[in-house]
Amino acid sequence: MAGLATAGVLTAVDARKAAAQAASDSLLRTVLDRGKLIVGTGSTNAPWHFENDAGELVGMDITMGRILAKGLFDDPTKVEFVMQDPAQRIPNVTTNKVDITIQFMTMTAQRSQLINFSRPYYVEGVALLTLPTAENKTFDKLLAGGSATRISILQNVDAESSVHYALPQAQVLQIDTQANVLQALESKRADAAAVDLSTVRWLASRNPDKYFDAGKSWYSMLYGAALRQGDLDWLTFVNQTFTIAMFGHESALYDAAFKDYFGQEPPARHPGFPVI
């Protein structure tokens, strides 16, 4: 009861008084004084950031921005989304054009030399998309097919090694665009398409009569938000807000988005020893 009473008091803290506790040059204070959050993101990559049938900007990245706005102002609508090219994700943060970039950005040591990353909010990977009517639609069947199994994948320097990590004997069809990777599967030139795990879950959940999740993923990649370096107060706030939304008592927005965009219920959180 004492904990619940304390929580009630904390929710009543005035935002300006909270901002006064941050360093004078912290973005946390600037954002609170401004009254809205400015997020750099995209608009053309489902399920991360895209326009729905009503023309509204939605997606998992968009939800993470709204989670931050709710943490800042207790209002998930107090956020402005700035459309940017993926090449602008770091420059727009370092030049203060946006407060934060949330745009399915893979965390790497090289990028971390230029910006701070938030804690990860999704673990991406490579996965296999197949046809629901195919005899070899599961990973075990694809593996058993050996050298007769054909896998389409976007052309890149790691394409061969990436596929052969999971399917050592498979034929690798390197294709110029992601749309053509999927077209190769649909036309049955390929038995499976190796694409992002999030794409597999999005397509298989939205179009179960057209696509099937073969049940295999590998090569973990962490997605994090990008922030300007040298601002510990802002970084700490973002990290704590994400942690509470994913593992704490304010998980409604994250859970609803995870189910909507990936077709799955988030893992259950159990009180006790923290598995975070």
Side-chain angles (χ1 to χ4, degrees):
M1 290 300 295
L4 292 176
T6 302
V9 171
L10 291 179
T11 56
V13 173
D14 180 81
R16 289 186 179 275
K17 291 181 180 178
Q21 307 306 311
S24 60
D25 59 346
S26 175
L27 195 55
L28 177 57
R29 180 179 293 192
T30 301
V31 172
L32 286 169
D33 287 343
R34 185 199 300 137
K36 70 175 179 180
L37 173 70
I38 301 175
V39 176
T41 192
S43 61
T44 58
N45 293 279
W48 294 101
H49 39 260
F50 63 103
E51 291 186 357
N52 62 16
D53 293 339
E56 301 164 328
L57 189 63
V58 295
M60 197 68 199
D61 286 337
I62 306 308
T63 297
M64 298 311 295
R66 296 199 182 283
I67 285 171
L68 283 180
K70 187 176 188 305
L72 288 160
F73 310 108
D74 198 27
D75 185 346
T77 69
K78 288 190 174 182
V79 54
E80 175 186 342
F81 293 102
V82 175
M83 299 303 101
Q84 59 187 20
D85 186 89
Q88 297 174 303
R89 290 180 295 187
I90 290 176
N92 281 358
V93 167
T94 58
T95 59
N96 296 318
K97 291 183 179 178
V98 299
D99 300 324
I100 189 170
T101 284
I102 310 178
Q103 195 172 354
F104 67 175
M105 191 170 180
T106 303
M107 300 169 68
T108 69
Q110 291 72 29
R111 286 172 172 171
S112 295
Q113 297 173 30
L114 303 173
I115 45 91
N116 280 334
F117 276 108
S118 71
R119 63 154 298 137
Y121 60 89
Y122 187 78
V123 181
E124 187 62 278
V126 180
L128 296 169
L129 192 68
T130 56
L131 302 176
T133 56
E135 183 178 348
N136 57 346
K137 65 182 181 181
T138 66
F139 172 72
D140 288 343
K141 289 288 186 70
L142 293 168
L143 183 61
S147 60
T149 295
R150 302 159 300 171
I151 307 296
S152 61
I153 188 172
L154 187 65
Q155 185 176 12
N156 67 86
V157 294
D158 297 318
E160 291 273 347
S161 60
S162 179
V163 171
H164 287 156
Y165 180 89
L167 297 165
Q169 297 180 327
Q171 301 176 45
V172 180
L173 310 178
Q174 296 197 44
I175 299 179
D176 57 348
T177 67
Q178 193 76 290
N180 286 336
V181 169
L182 297 178
Q183 198 280 329
L185 170 65
E186 293 165 6
S187 66
K188 300 183 180 180
R189 288 197 299 120
D191 300 298
V195 296
D196 290 340
L197 174 62
S198 58
T199 299
V200 169
R201 288 178 171 174
W202 165 257
L203 291 176
S205 64
R206 291 302 176 101
N207 305 279
D209 58 333
K210 187 176 180 180
Y211 298 112
F212 184 80
D213 181 351
K216 174 68 174 179
S217 60
W218 67 99
Y219 194 49
S220 295
M221 296 166 282
L222 305 179
Y223 283 173
L227 302 86
R228 186 184 66 190
Q229 289 182 337
D231 191 340
L232 182 59
D233 288 337
W234 181 230
L235 175 63
T236 300
F237 172 79
V238 171
N239 282 340
Q240 291 176 347
T241 303
F242 281 4
T243 298
I244 293 165
M246 291 187 287
F247 300 101
H249 64 291
E250 296 182 356
S251 61
L253 287 175
Y254 186 89
D255 289 359
F258 197 92
K259 183 176 182 179
D260 190 17
Y261 302 125
F262 307 132
Q264 296 184 333
E265 295 284 352
R269 295 85 159 184
H270 299 289
F273 188 83
V275 184
I276 299 175

